[in-house]
Amino acid sequence: MKDPVFKLIDDEKKRQREGLELIPSENYVSAAVLQAMGSVLTNKYSEGYPSFEGISSYGELVSEDKIAEEILPNYRYYGGQENIDRIERLAISRAMRLFHADHANVQPHSGANANEAVYYAWCEPGDKILAMSLSDGGHLTHGSPVTRSAHIWKFLAYGVTEDGDINYDEMEKIALAEGPKLILVGFSAFMKVPDFDRVVRIAKLVTEKFGHEVLLMADMAHVAGLIAGGVHPNPLEHGFHVMTTTTHKTLRGPRGGLILSRGHVGSPLKKISEKTLKNIPTLIDKSVFPGTQGGPLEHVIAAKAVAFGEALQPEFSKYAAAIVENARALADGLSERGFILQGGGTENHLVLVRVRDSFGIDGKFYERALDRVGLTLNANSLPGDDGPAFRPGGVRLGTPAITTRGMGVTEMSLIADWMRKVADICVSAKDEAGLSGFEKELSAIREEVRELALRFPLPTEG
Ligand code: DSN
């Protein structure tokens, strides 16, 4: 008998095909990415690293055929690495070219692992790290007290201003009062383009006052695809030392993490006596393995390599530009229909809607009602939210996945229309139980959503 897991996978395929994915951190991978991920590479152990020799600096063009042919001595703890090494070297080289980095570590299993590996590479226990607060749009891994990191390092938080931008004055004030070792710019619910140059200036002031080097880290998980596509500034080109990201959001690769850095690339086997910014690529390699992870997931690394190869193609820039254009159209469409938006709109792929302020309904209720019509997004807290975390005042949505399906501004307007209709139903229904009185209205919208979704197949459906 067939394992019931496969029936459930088929059900999930149907859900993805017949609904619209509006969660801004999700996307649909290509058939090639899926194929690499579901390969025999999952059978192989490869703790350690391939040789970094001959992988280009980002400015040089090194032939991929050469990388794919060469077998070089490696830093691995297992035999049988001749294919794995070449795959990982391709992934590293493509990531470096994509993000103009001196080095790439493609092994982090996730964005959370990538972030923790950077903290562990640079900071001693008790050192101070300055990052955006979770409630203002930061991320759990940027120092939320419920995480392990928050028990090891002392996190300080800056917030956002009324108009939804980073409060740089607050960042500077805290930085100059506390002297953090690391300043982090990164977010999971923030709609502006960060002013990286201003943060670089703040770090210089900290160094002048306290005498230590400050690591500048950007967690660009949400916008990595926009950076790769050239429609968002690259923090590494503005003086940041490290950029972390996941590979599955706007970057449209497999679920996983990635760390890019600038500095000198040395042997991960050599002892490093001094933690300097120059050595950061090697400090990070040591921190990922053996510092915080064991065996790398080489099937995922192969899929990362394929996704990076796709993102290096000229079409990817068009895709990135379309994500932003669609997000603006969606934000405008929602505003025109009475939704109040955090920050007034968006400069990236993400929109944060103040549903409680707009219609007096909470984000979770609205998320669940939208689930019933096949529009998937997530409830999200808003700056200044003081209610229960599970019943926040907002919802977060974005356009990476629907743009992958080929949708454009016309479809954004349809989505905004459906969202307004569902909001009106929620107001009349009052609570989730009350939605049962609106089955007919919800089913009619569900059919319209399904019909639109089926006109735009997933990339894996050919
Ligand atoms: N959980 C991701 C998001 O949805 O933004 C960030 O890691």
Side-chain angles (χ1 to χ4, degrees):
M1 207 182 82
K2 201 172 175 187
D3 191 313
V5 166
F6 292 100
K7 156 84 171 60
L8 294 170
I9 292 175
D10 283 343
D11 290 348
E12 174 60 12
K13 268 189 207 157
K14 182 170 152 61
R15 188 196 69 82
Q16 292 191 11
R17 185 187 305 125
E18 296 186 0
L20 298 186
E21 190 51 74
L22 297 169
I23 294 176
S25 45
E26 293 188 10
N27 214 327
Y28 306 109
V29 296
S30 68
V33 168
L34 207 54
Q35 190 184 357
M37 201 165 19
S39 67
V40 294
L41 299 178
T42 195
N43 298 337
K44 190 75 196 91
Y45 249 123
S46 51
E47 280 176 14
Y49 290 100
S51 165
F52 303 132
E53 282 300 304
I55 299 181
S56 71
S57 90
Y58 62 87
E60 292 167 41
L61 273 183
V62 169
S63 146
E64 291 205 343
D65 290 342
K66 186 162 178 265
I67 293 178
E69 272 167 21
E70 266 181 344
I71 304 178
L72 296 164
N74 60 24
Y75 313 109
R76 304 280 195 189
Y77 291 84
Y78 290 80
Q81 304 294 340
E82 60 268 32
N83 304 310
I84 295 290
D85 275 355
R86 290 182 282 183
I87 290 166
E88 192 166 332
R89 280 164 55 78
L90 273 176
I92 292 170
S93 138
R94 289 178 182 176
M96 285 162 57
R97 277 169 55 201
L98 206 47
F99 294 103
H100 299 183
D102 290 329
H103 192 48
N105 188 306
V106 296
Q107 294 192 1
H109 302 330
S110 68
N113 287 31
N115 286 347
E116 197 175 64
V118 178
Y119 307 150
Y120 185 60
W122 184 246
C123 299
E124 300 302 326
D127 276 354
K128 293 172 185 168
I129 298 176
L130 177 57
M132 194 185 329
S133 84
L134 177 62
S135 57
D136 281 25
H139 189 253
L140 268 176
T141 59
H142 300 170
S144 163
V146 297
T147 61
R148 178 175 55 176
S149 297
H151 292 267
I152 303 175
W153 300 288
K154 182 169 167 31
F155 282 86
L156 309 161
Y158 59 86
V160 293
T161 56
E162 291 245 309
D163 66 358
D165 207 350
I166 290 174
N167 191 335
Y168 297 98
D169 293 340
E170 185 187 24
M171 180 195 282
E172 180 170 327
K173 202 168 150 208
I174 299 173
L176 289 179
E178 300 276 353
K181 281 286 290 294
L182 190 159
I183 299 179
L184 169 53
V185 171
F187 47 84
S188 60
F190 177 72
M191 287 66 62
K192 307 268 186 206
V193 172
D195 181 351
F196 296 116
D197 297 330
R198 172 90 197 261
V199 184
V200 169
R201 290 200 295 277
I202 293 172
K204 282 202 180 118
L205 294 175
V206 173
T207 300
E208 275 164 29
K209 181 167 176 191
F210 292 88
H212 62 254
E213 290 187 316
V214 177
L215 182 77
L216 287 172
M217 167 180 174
D219 175 350
M220 295 290 100
H222 266 268
V223 291
L226 305 186
I227 295 172
V231 298
H232 188 288
N234 179 343
L236 296 179
E237 293 182 319
H238 287 261
F240 272 57
H241 312 106
V242 174
M243 172 178 145
T244 57
T245 181
T246 49
T247 46
H248 50 270
K249 297 187 174 88
T250 45
L251 198 47
R252 211 161 62 181
R255 194 156 287 279
L258 169 69
I259 307 175
L260 302 139
S261 53
R262 288 227 169 148
H264 172 73
V265 183
S267 157
L269 298 183
K270 279 215 182 103
K271 201 166 157 44
I272 297 185
S273 47
E274 264 190 301
K275 287 191 176 181
T276 60
L277 289 176
K278 190 166 164 255
N279 285 330
I280 199 72
T282 309
L283 291 168
I284 287 171
D285 282 340
K286 287 169 166 297
S287 179
V288 172
F289 176 82
T292 53
Q293 286 192 172
L297 310 176
E298 293 294 345
H299 56 306
V300 180
I301 289 173
K304 287 175 185 172
V306 173
F308 300 155
E310 291 173 357
L312 281 164
Q313 303 308 312
E315 304 84 68
F316 197 84
S317 302
K318 293 194 193 121
Y319 165 62
I323 293 177
V324 176
E325 191 189 5
N326 280 344
R328 289 197 178 140
L330 186 55
D332 290 347
L334 290 168
S335 288
E336 284 157 17
R337 287 163 181 82
F339 288 90
I340 300 166
L341 307 185
Q342 169 66 16
T346 186
E347 296 175 355
N348 55 29
H349 64 299
L350 200 153
V351 181
L352 194 56
V353 185
R354 304 189 71 96
V355 271
R356 187 177 283 129
D357 292 346
S358 314
F359 300 106
I361 53 179
D362 75 70
K364 200 69 196 172
F365 174 29
Y366 189 44
E367 172 202 294
R368 291 202 169 140
L370 286 166
D371 256 345
R372 293 189 185 213
V373 301
L375 297 176
T376 310
L377 45 60
N378 67 282
N380 214 91
S381 352
L382 301 166
D385 245 352
D386 47 14
F390 199 65
R391 293 273 169 201
V395 293
R396 191 185 66 149
L397 66 161
T399 51
I402 50 178
T403 306
T404 292
R405 289 178 92 147
M407 293 184 190
V409 291
T410 314
E411 287 73 36
M412 299 309 115
S413 158
L414 291 172
I415 292 168
D417 250 349
W418 290 322
M419 286 182 64
R420 175 63 209 246
K421 283 182 183 156
V422 174
D424 288 341
I425 291 173
C426 287
V427 171
S428 305
K430 293 197 173 53
D431 56 24
E432 277 156 64
L435 288 176
S436 56
F438 294 87
E439 291 296 355
K440 206 167 128 230
E441 292 82 350
L442 291 168
S443 299
I445 301 172
R446 178 74 191 95
E447 269 322 298
E448 289 175 18
V449 171
R450 191 191 326 270
E451 188 270 330
L452 178 73
L454 292 175
R455 279 201 285 124
F456 292 88
L458 305 184
T460 40
E461 292 180 312

